Amino acid sequence: MSDGVNRFLGDTPLRIVVKLLILSVALGFVMSVLGLYPDDILRAVRDFIVNLWETGFQALGRVGDYLVLGAVIVIPVFILIRILSYRR
């Protein structure tokens, strides 16, 4: 069973926890510097849903903007992860 868990996680559970803790602290620091806080993000999601409901789904045009904004971060991170895992 341990081998299955290690294979699923990609490493031992303890090392994964340590990596996730370090990544969380680093990302938390960057978000703090940028002035982004979890409650602001949750409030923005809630406001988006309420606005979507109130405007009769005219706000769906914003989804394309959100897609592009997210892709600016997601695509380079994905490519970086693939490049780093390719060297193994």
Side-chain angles (χ1 to χ4, degrees):
M1 178 168 164
S2 177
D3 187 44
V5 171
N6 289 353
R7 188 175 35 216
F8 174 73
L9 293 175
D11 208 347
T12 62
L14 182 61
R15 288 183 62 157
I16 293 297
V17 168
V18 170
K19 288 177 185 179
L20 289 175
L21 285 172
I22 292 170
L23 184 60
S24 294
V25 169
L27 185 60
F29 175 75
V30 170
M31 288 178 64
S32 177
V33 167
L34 295 175
L36 298 172
Y37 296 97
D39 55 338
D40 295 336
I41 295 170
L42 293 175
R43 191 175 304 115
V45 169
R46 183 189 62 85
D47 291 344
F48 173 73
I49 292 170
V50 169
N51 189 23
L52 180 67
W53 186 263
E54 290 175 350
T55 61
F57 296 95
Q58 290 177 354
L60 281 178
R62 288 185 176 172
V63 173
D65 295 337
Y66 295 152
L67 176 68
V68 172
L69 283 171
V72 168
I73 300 297
V74 171
I75 301 300
V77 169
F78 173 76
I79 292 171
L80 182 64
I81 289 171
R82 296 306 304 164
I83 289 172
L84 292 177
S85 67
Y86 179 72
R87 291 197 277 172
R88 288 186 187 184

